[in-house]
Amino acid sequence: MVTIPFHAEVIPENCTGCKKCVWVCPTEAIVMESNIAVIAEDKCVSCQNCIGICPDEAIFKKERTEPVVLGVDYNSVDQDEIHRLCKEANIHPMQWLCLCTATRAREGAAAIINGAKTPEDMALLTGTRSGCTVYCAMMSMRLLEAAGHEVKKPSKWQLYPTTQTLWDVPQEVIDEYAGYFLEEDKDVFRKF
């Protein structure tokens, strides 16, 4: 569970309509109306990407009247399905999905089982991507792809990185570096 006590707010008279905030918002909470940024408070996870990129100081962090609590109870869904999905993504259920919010992969898997189909959906259900917005995007994509969802990379500045995992190491590298016990590491990781 993640408590989000703030949201981003626009100072309309300062906004020049550059759209940089739109491009970096991890939940697509920002749209342009009459060339002014408008933020949907209910979709803002207070990541502060928009504040950091705004060249005109037109966005600030504002305390919510009532903090928003986001999270998915992983115990409310089929545990075998969580394990299957995590195993398919080569992520241990107890592995971190989002370091900034201390959200585990099992909660992300539960969010997908409950209907999340994009990294934005996952962020709005779990509260992930309200910190650095980098590590959790990669982990979310792996879980979503394992669930069979085709994740289209946006044409914005969103960072949807991918990284090599133990399962991506070519066999010739495994053979050459047998002393690193890569195959044995896979067996240990699979014991969940």
Side-chain angles (χ1 to χ4, degrees):
M1 299 298 229
V2 179
T3 301
I4 301 175
F6 301 98
H7 68 90
E9 188 154 312
V10 175
I11 304 167
E13 55 273 14
N14 288 9
C15 181
T16 59
C18 72
K19 299 181 183 149
K20 290 179 181 177
C21 57
V22 174
W23 297 335
V24 298
C25 180
T27 56
E28 299 179 336
I30 307 173
V31 296
M32 299 302 289
E33 292 180 7
S34 301
N35 211 32
I36 302 291
V38 176
I39 301 172
E41 184 180 332
D42 63 323
K43 292 176 78 177
C44 177
V45 291
S46 192
C47 70
Q48 301 185 53
N49 286 351
C50 55
I51 294 169
I53 202 165
C54 181
D56 305 305
E57 297 182 12
I59 305 176
F60 66 99
K61 182 169 75 170
K62 182 177 180 180
E63 192 165 357
R64 295 177 187 266
T65 4
E66 194 67 36
V68 171
V69 178
L70 299 174
V72 177
D73 179 8
Y74 59 88
N75 287 313
S76 68
V77 300
D78 183 340
Q79 297 301 296
D80 290 336
E81 186 60 17
I82 286 177
H83 284 241
R84 184 201 65 73
L85 185 53
C86 286
K87 194 171 196 171
E88 183 69 28
N90 294 315
I91 300 172
H92 193 283
M94 289 298 291
Q95 192 171 338
W96 295 116
L97 171 65
C98 179
L99 297 166
C100 299
T101 62
T103 303
R104 304 275 184 179
R106 63 186 180 192
E107 190 175 336
I112 292 169
I113 293 166
N114 284 338
K117 291 180 174 51
T118 66
E120 295 81 15
D121 291 343
M122 289 181 70
L124 290 169
L125 287 172
T126 64
T128 58
R129 302 189 80 196
S130 58
C132 75
T133 70
V134 176
Y135 181 80
C136 52
M138 174 192 63
M139 299 300 279
S140 296
M141 285 180 52
R142 285 175 55 192
L143 284 168
L144 287 161
E145 288 170 354
H149 299 296
E150 183 183 336
V151 181
K152 290 193 276 182
K153 297 186 177 157
S155 58
K156 302 176 285 183
W157 290 353
Q158 284 297 317
L159 181 59
Y160 282 1
T162 55
T163 188
Q164 191 174 47
T165 69
L166 185 59
W167 284 267
D168 301 317
V169 178
Q171 188 60 48
E172 60 269 13
V173 173
I174 292 171
D175 294 341
E176 185 174 341
Y177 296 97
Y180 283 96
F181 304 105
L182 297 173
E183 289 299 332
E184 292 82 355
D185 286 346
K186 288 180 188 179
D187 291 340
V188 169
F189 190 80
R190 286 284 190 214
K191 291 181 182 176
F192 63 82

PDB file of all heavy atoms in Angstrom, residues 89-103:
ATOM      1  N   ALA A  89       7.390 -14.443 -16.001  1.00  0.00           N
ATOM      2  CA  ALA A  89       8.153 -13.200 -16.172  1.00  0.00           C
ATOM      3  C   ALA A  89       9.579 -13.320 -15.634  1.00  0.00           C
ATOM      4  O   ALA A  89      10.355 -12.369 -15.738  1.00  0.00           O
ATOM      5  CB  ALA A  89       7.444 -12.052 -15.460  1.00  0.00           C
ATOM      6  N   ASN A  90       9.910 -14.499 -15.067  1.00  0.00           N
ATOM      7  CA  ASN A  90      11.219 -14.703 -14.436  1.00  0.00           C
ATOM      8  C   ASN A  90      11.472 -13.684 -13.331  1.00  0.00           C
ATOM      9  O   ASN A  90      12.554 -13.116 -13.199  1.00  0.00           O
ATOM     10  CB  ASN A  90      12.349 -14.663 -15.467  1.00  0.00           C
ATOM     11  CG  ASN A  90      12.263 -15.821 -16.423  1.00  0.00           C
ATOM     12  OD1 ASN A  90      12.055 -16.952 -16.016  1.00  0.00           O
ATOM     13  ND2 ASN A  90      12.383 -15.536 -17.706  1.00  0.00           N
ATOM     14  N   ILE A  91      10.438 -13.458 -12.539  1.00  0.00           N
ATOM     15  CA  ILE A  91      10.518 -12.559 -11.386  1.00  0.00           C
ATOM     16  C   ILE A  91       9.990 -13.326 -10.176  1.00  0.00           C
ATOM     17  O   ILE A  91       8.910 -13.914 -10.243  1.00  0.00           O
ATOM     18  CB  ILE A  91       9.649 -11.292 -11.597  1.00  0.00           C
ATOM     19  CG1 ILE A  91      10.095 -10.512 -12.830  1.00  0.00           C
ATOM     20  CG2 ILE A  91       9.686 -10.408 -10.366  1.00  0.00           C
ATOM     21  CD1 ILE A  91       9.172  -9.359 -13.196  1.00  0.00           C
ATOM     22  N   HIS A  92      10.720 -13.312  -9.112  1.00  0.00           N
ATOM     23  CA  HIS A  92      10.251 -13.957  -7.883  1.00  0.00           C
ATOM     24  C   HIS A  92       9.123 -13.102  -7.301  1.00  0.00           C
ATOM     25  O   HIS A  92       9.213 -11.868  -7.310  1.00  0.00           O
ATOM     26  CB  HIS A  92      11.403 -14.080  -6.875  1.00  0.00           C
ATOM     27  CG  HIS A  92      11.099 -14.991  -5.749  1.00  0.00           C
ATOM     28  ND1 HIS A  92      10.286 -14.619  -4.713  1.00  0.00           N
ATOM     29  CD2 HIS A  92      11.476 -16.257  -5.506  1.00  0.00           C
ATOM     30  CE1 HIS A  92      10.189 -15.621  -3.855  1.00  0.00           C
ATOM     31  NE2 HIS A  92      10.899 -16.637  -4.322  1.00  0.00           N
ATOM     32  N   PRO A  93       8.048 -13.707  -6.790  1.00  0.00           N
ATOM     33  CA  PRO A  93       6.932 -12.923  -6.242  1.00  0.00           C
ATOM     34  C   PRO A  93       7.342 -11.936  -5.146  1.00  0.00           C
ATOM     35  O   PRO A  93       6.720 -10.889  -4.988  1.00  0.00           O
ATOM     36  CB  PRO A  93       5.976 -13.980  -5.683  1.00  0.00           C
ATOM     37  CG  PRO A  93       6.299 -15.219  -6.439  1.00  0.00           C
ATOM     38  CD  PRO A  93       7.762 -15.153  -6.749  1.00  0.00           C
ATOM     39  N   MET A  94       8.413 -12.255  -4.407  1.00  0.00           N
ATOM     40  CA  MET A  94       8.867 -11.366  -3.339  1.00  0.00           C
ATOM     41  C   MET A  94       9.908 -10.345  -3.820  1.00  0.00           C
ATOM     42  O   MET A  94      10.358  -9.504  -3.049  1.00  0.00           O
ATOM     43  CB  MET A  94       9.457 -12.183  -2.182  1.00  0.00           C
ATOM     44  CG  MET A  94       8.407 -12.943  -1.404  1.00  0.00           C
ATOM     45  SD  MET A  94       7.200 -11.839  -0.627  1.00  0.00           S
ATOM     46  CE  MET A  94       8.219 -11.078   0.621  1.00  0.00           C
ATOM     47  N   GLN A  95      10.267 -10.419  -5.090  1.00  0.00           N
ATOM     48  CA  GLN A  95      11.220  -9.453  -5.649  1.00  0.00           C
ATOM     49  C   GLN A  95      10.551  -8.090  -5.698  1.00  0.00           C
ATOM     50  O   GLN A  95       9.325  -7.971  -5.831  1.00  0.00           O
ATOM     51  CB  GLN A  95      11.609  -9.912  -7.051  1.00  0.00           C
ATOM     52  CG  GLN A  95      12.789  -9.201  -7.647  1.00  0.00           C
ATOM     53  CD  GLN A  95      13.234  -9.876  -8.943  1.00  0.00           C
ATOM     54  OE1 GLN A  95      12.944 -11.047  -9.181  1.00  0.00           O
ATOM     55  NE2 GLN A  95      13.940  -9.133  -9.772  1.00  0.00           N
ATOM     56  N   TRP A  96      11.354  -7.037  -5.618  1.00  0.00           N
ATOM     57  CA  TRP A  96      10.796  -5.687  -5.681  1.00  0.00           C
ATOM     58  C   TRP A  96      10.273  -5.389  -7.085  1.00  0.00           C
ATOM     59  O   TRP A  96      10.975  -5.582  -8.061  1.00  0.00           O
ATOM     60  CB  TRP A  96      11.847  -4.644  -5.312  1.00  0.00           C
ATOM     61  CG  TRP A  96      12.314  -4.742  -3.895  1.00  0.00           C
ATOM     62  CD1 TRP A  96      13.569  -5.044  -3.487  1.00  0.00           C
ATOM     63  CD2 TRP A  96      11.536  -4.567  -2.722  1.00  0.00           C
ATOM     64  NE1 TRP A  96      13.622  -5.067  -2.119  1.00  0.00           N
ATOM     65  CE2 TRP A  96      12.379  -4.772  -1.614  1.00  0.00           C
ATOM     66  CE3 TRP A  96      10.200  -4.255  -2.475  1.00  0.00           C
ATOM     67  CZ2 TRP A  96      11.948  -4.675  -0.300  1.00  0.00           C
ATOM     68  CZ3 TRP A  96       9.768  -4.157  -1.170  1.00  0.00           C
ATOM     69  CH2 TRP A  96      10.631  -4.362  -0.096  1.00  0.00           C
ATOM     70  N   LEU A  97       9.048  -4.919  -7.139  1.00  0.00           N
ATOM     71  CA  LEU A  97       8.491  -4.378  -8.380  1.00  0.00           C
ATOM     72  C   LEU A  97       8.876  -2.907  -8.454  1.00  0.00           C
ATOM     73  O   LEU A  97       9.282  -2.403  -9.486  1.00  0.00           O
ATOM     74  CB  LEU A  97       6.973  -4.543  -8.399  1.00  0.00           C
ATOM     75  CG  LEU A  97       6.220  -3.842  -9.520  1.00  0.00           C
ATOM     76  CD1 LEU A  97       6.604  -4.425 -10.864  1.00  0.00           C
ATOM     77  CD2 LEU A  97       4.730  -3.940  -9.303  1.00  0.00           C
ATOM     78  N   CYS A  98       8.755  -2.221  -7.328  1.00  0.00           N
ATOM     79  CA  CYS A  98       9.090  -0.796  -7.248  1.00  0.00           C
ATOM     80  C   CYS A  98       9.860  -0.557  -5.952  1.00  0.00           C
ATOM     81  O   CYS A  98       9.317  -0.747  -4.866  1.00  0.00           O
ATOM     82  CB  CYS A  98       7.813   0.041  -7.283  1.00  0.00           C
ATOM     83  SG  CYS A  98       8.091   1.825  -7.151  1.00  0.00           S
ATOM     84  N   LEU A  99      11.100  -0.172  -6.088  1.00  0.00           N
ATOM     85  CA  LEU A  99      11.939   0.082  -4.916  1.00  0.00           C
ATOM     86  C   LEU A  99      11.478   1.315  -4.152  1.00  0.00           C
ATOM     87  O   LEU A  99      11.502   1.331  -2.924  1.00  0.00           O
ATOM     88  CB  LEU A  99      13.401   0.255  -5.345  1.00  0.00           C
ATOM     89  CG  LEU A  99      14.044  -0.968  -5.989  1.00  0.00           C
ATOM     90  CD1 LEU A  99      15.341  -0.590  -6.676  1.00  0.00           C
ATOM     91  CD2 LEU A  99      14.276  -2.044  -4.954  1.00  0.00           C
ATOM     92  N   CYS A 100      11.056   2.348  -4.857  1.00  0.00           N
ATOM     93  CA  CYS A 100      10.682   3.606  -4.212  1.00  0.00           C
ATOM     94  C   CYS A 100       9.467   3.442  -3.300  1.00  0.00           C
ATOM     95  O   CYS A 100       9.357   4.117  -2.283  1.00  0.00           O
ATOM     96  CB  CYS A 100      10.392   4.674  -5.258  1.00  0.00           C
ATOM     97  SG  CYS A 100      11.803   5.056  -6.306  1.00  0.00           S
ATOM     98  N   THR A 101       8.546   2.564  -3.676  1.00  0.00           N
ATOM     99  CA  THR A 101       7.326   2.386  -2.890  1.00  0.00           C
ATOM    100  C   THR A 101       7.321   1.080  -2.105  1.00  0.00           C
ATOM    101  O   THR A 101       6.338   0.766  -1.444  1.00  0.00           O
ATOM    102  CB  THR A 101       6.086   2.416  -3.802  1.00  0.00           C
ATOM    103  OG1 THR A 101       6.165   1.324  -4.732  1.00  0.00           O
ATOM    104  CG2 THR A 101       5.976   3.738  -4.548  1.00  0.00           C
ATOM    105  N   ALA A 102       8.389   0.307  -2.202  1.00  0.00           N
ATOM    106  CA  ALA A 102       8.508  -0.995  -1.518  1.00  0.00           C
ATOM    107  C   ALA A 102       7.348  -1.922  -1.902  1.00  0.00           C
ATOM    108  O   ALA A 102       6.755  -2.587  -1.071  1.00  0.00           O
ATOM    109  CB  ALA A 102       8.588  -0.817  -0.009  1.00  0.00           C
ATOM    110  N   THR A 103       7.050  -1.943  -3.197  1.00  0.00           N
ATOM    111  CA  THR A 103       5.986  -2.794  -3.719  1.00  0.00           C
ATOM    112  C   THR A 103       6.619  -4.053  -4.303  1.00  0.00           C
ATOM    113  O   THR A 103       7.555  -3.971  -5.092  1.00  0.00           O
ATOM    114  CB  THR A 103       5.185  -2.051  -4.812  1.00  0.00           C
ATOM    115  OG1 THR A 103       4.665  -0.839  -4.252  1.00  0.00           O
ATOM    116  CG2 THR A 103       4.048  -2.895  -5.343  1.00  0.00           C
TER     117      THR A 103
END
